[in-house]
Amino acid sequence: MSKKQKKMLARIIAAVVLLLVLRWVPAQGALGAALYMIPYAVIGWDILLKAGKGILNRQVFDENFLMAVATVGAIALGDYQEGTAVMLFYQIGELFQSYAVGRSRRSISALMDIRPDYANIEQDGALTRVDPDEVEVGSIIVVQPGEKVPIDGVVVEGSASLNTSALTGESLPREVSAGGEVISGCIDMSGVLRIRTSRAFGESTVSKILDLVENSSSKKSRSENFISRFARVYTPAVCFGALALAVLPPLAMLLMGRAPMWGEWVYRALTFLVISCPCALVISIPLSFFAGIGGASSAGVLVKGSNYLEALAQAKTVVFDKTGTLTCGSFEVVGVHHNELEQEKVLEYAALAESYSSHPISRSLRAAHGREIDASRVSDVREVSGGGVTATVDGVHIAVGNDKLMRELGVSFIPCSQPGTIVHVAIDGAYAGHILISDVVKPTSREAVEQLRKNGVTKTVMLTGDARSAAEHVAAQVGVDEVRAELLPDDKVAQVEALLVQKKPGEKLVFVGDGINDAPVLSRADIGVAMGALGSDAAIEAADVVLMDDDPLKLVKAIRIARKCMRIVYENIVFAIGVKLVCLLLGALGLANMWAAIFADVGVMVIAVLNAIRALMVKKL
Ligand code: ADP
Ligand code: MG
């Protein structure tokens, strides 16, 4: 409990004690009224103050105003006990609410407990703890077992197994040794690592993720906007409704020549006001989204705003990129065919030309080449997105890429009949053979496509820049409905736009990619999902939803989490508005008194808040 909450609790206890004492005091009339003003002031002074400030700031109609009018009105009618009690219960409700919000915020930050507090740097043989912000790029930091990796970097010495669960939601440890990249936010579980930092702290994965989660609540969903618009209209409406209830029936009675019963109708109007307080809605809807986003991030799914969570729940079309999304993106060289030069030489030229590319194909060629690459031999690198790479290596012009690139360069090539991805190599404009590489489908891709269907997705499409035969081979293995091959990044955007036109209103289209050369598509789709984004800034930036590891089943999980969260949001809206309407009606008819009203209000709020917190629990989904 915070200090403020403790103070409130003390005030509540004091007011309860005072009210109990007053029951035994036989004071009547003016003295009784004056005595009751003590607990009333103890419990309600801040509400009265806030209501007064609201009036001065011309923002009259809020909860404080409703409570102030209702309780002051009750006291004016001589119902001191009731006025005080209503204020008391209102404050109990507020306390509970602030406690619940604090709790869920804290549990989210605990889930997101990846912010490193310090970094160890070596100075004169001893380790010194410094603020991660002060560590310069290229410094050597030391991470010991049990510590968090504070900054992204490359291991220069030592090996360890890293726990990535805070980032990915999975408890699978990741082994690293000298030369391996490490990402901040992982926890070192075994050995001492000496790491050369490759980024500043502010640019590291941890900082990016924390920024993203902290800013997610600024992107409001339609439901949230609906609630704030609703409250803006609703509160003044009930105030005028209450005024009408207080004035019109007595006037009508007078006109009919009967007793007006002013007291009775004013009391009903005040009850009406107490009932109408929209706190449950106003608090529980944003809290549900907040909890949903928090729960998702604990499962390794980062959602950049409640609007995306809402959209994800309505996903009907899912479009996948192939390489790195449905397949592992770690190609293996199967063979080098039709080559004039010796195999080694072709591979070496290809690997050198590709030395600046971050495409999975390039990484695999470099791995197949296997030797240290001397980047000074390479110049004039040009990467043709969706085609390949051209570069000058040792003074000769090398082109590495697919059929499209060869056609573009006017090089005649020999097609390959075997399944797999073909990388042609041309040297100074002459064909030098092709490298056949093959990628494997991720073990969970097929299940993910199936599960998506079970979760209401009606259409799955795979887009790829790869050749048709390789694309169809993969499509058959994973079971997607449609496949489009040989697409340049721009063609992918056009395909997604065509699919966007085809779908029904209210349905959403998700594009899932790995963030390598598909940023334009990610931003064009209703929801762009980047997968396996650990360490890839471009993907984290371009996407609306980031899956921290590269398992396609995470997408299913993300949709389930979104659905659950939206269900909770709707439950809360219907429940809160429903109970309110019934109570308002009972109040207007004089069937509910102020006690019933305050219980209904606090009760609805407690239930709605507890319901909202359910959105945080996503582990079992
Ligand atoms: P996907 O749609 O499967 O993710 P991309 O759009 O990234 O594929 O690439 C499409 C095709 O372009 C690849 O299958 C490959 O033939 C070729 N390509 C792209 N980048 C490179 C590269 N760096 N080296 C060789 N070929 C490349
Ligand atoms: Mg790709």
Side-chain angles (χ1 to χ4, degrees), residues 212-505:
L212 199 153
V213 173
E214 277 157 17
N215 293 325
S216 64
S217 50
S218 62
K219 289 195 180 149
K220 292 233 177 339
S221 67
R222 278 200 0 253
S223 327
E224 273 172 291
N225 286 329
F226 161 76
I227 293 303
S228 37
R229 259 178 300 144
F230 177 79
R232 259 205 304 279
V233 183
Y234 172 84
T235 314
V238 295
C239 287
F240 288 114
L243 194 63
L245 194 61
V247 178
L248 296 183
L251 286 183
M253 299 283 210
L254 274 180
L255 283 180
M256 290 189 298
R258 288 200 263 156
M261 302 199 297
W262 284 103
E264 168 66 19
W265 286 104
V266 168
Y267 180 82
R268 282 193 198 180
L270 294 174
T271 310
F272 187 87
L273 273 187
V274 176
I275 300 169
S276 66
C277 182
C279 354
L281 267 188
V282 170
I283 180 67
S284 75
I285 305 305
L287 190 65
S288 308
F289 278 111
F290 193 66
I293 289 175
S297 53
S298 76
V301 177
L302 302 184
V303 183
K304 288 196 185 170
S306 15
N307 51 339
Y308 301 119
L309 205 61
E310 190 173 40
L312 212 48
Q314 297 155 358
K316 287 285 178 216
T317 309
V318 176
V319 181
F320 294 95
D321 189 30
K322 180 185 73 109
T323 312
T325 306
L326 288 173
T327 69
C328 295
S330 53
F331 293 86
E332 241 173 72
V333 173
V334 180
V336 183
H337 302 161
H338 303 289
N339 44 325
E340 307 282 310
L341 288 171
E342 58 181 301
Q343 205 153 310
E344 289 293 293
K345 199 65 193 164
V346 175
L347 259 179
E348 182 179 1
Y349 273 136
L352 278 164
E354 294 265 12
S355 55
Y356 290 99
S357 167
S358 62
H359 198 277
I361 289 182
S362 131
R363 261 185 277 130
S364 326
L365 290 178
R366 272 176 286 159
H369 172 55
R371 260 168 286 149
E372 195 75 31
I373 280 171
D374 177 6
S376 66
R377 291 165 63 188
V378 190
S379 58
D380 301 331
V381 181
R382 187 170 73 98
E383 180 145 13
V384 185
S385 214
V389 174
T390 65
T392 304
V393 179
D394 299 339
V396 291
H397 191 252
I398 306 288
V400 189
N402 54 11
D403 299 6
K404 214 174 242 161
L405 183 78
M406 292 296 129
R407 256 181 247 128
E408 201 176 288
L409 297 174
V411 176
S412 59
F413 56 89
I414 303 172
C416 189
S417 53
Q418 273 163 266
T421 300
I422 318 293
V423 182
H424 298 289
V425 183
I427 303 178
D428 274 336
Y431 193 57
H434 57 238
I435 304 169
L436 177 65
I437 53 182
S438 88
D439 191 2
V440 286
V441 169
K442 285 184 192 165
T444 52
S445 293
R446 190 182 178 86
E447 193 189 339
V449 170
E450 230 162 72
Q451 290 278 349
L452 283 174
R453 249 177 231 131
K454 281 195 192 130
N455 283 280
V457 170
T458 50
K459 189 180 210 166
T460 50
V461 183
M462 184 180 93
L463 303 182
T464 180
D466 209 346
R468 174 150 298 277
S469 62
E472 269 165 7
H473 189 64
V474 171
Q477 273 176 281
V478 292
V480 286
D481 299 330
E482 289 174 30
V483 52
R484 317 269 159 85
E486 290 165 29
L487 304 170
L488 294 175
D490 289 348
D491 302 333
K492 291 188 187 172
V493 175
Q495 291 286 347
V496 163
E497 276 171 353
L499 287 165
L500 282 170
V501 174
Q502 281 170 27
K503 71 185 173 57
K504 295 195 202 84

Side-chain angles (χ1 to χ4, degrees), residues 86-138:
V86 164
M87 193 57 104
L88 177 67
F89 283 114
Y90 177 73
Q91 293 283 37
I92 291 176
E94 289 290 292
L95 176 65
F96 171 79
Q97 169 189 316
S98 90
Y99 183 68
V101 171
R103 271 298 289 269
S104 68
R105 268 185 201 277
R106 258 198 311 281
S107 53
I108 287 168
S109 26
L111 293 170
M112 295 302 298
D113 186 21
I114 51 176
R115 186 189 297 283
D117 305 320
Y118 60 88
N120 296 319
I121 54 170
E122 221 164 15
Q123 249 171 8
D124 313 323
L127 288 184
T128 331
R129 287 186 175 187
V130 298
D131 187 332
D133 249 334
E134 290 166 13
V135 178
E136 279 170 33
V137 179

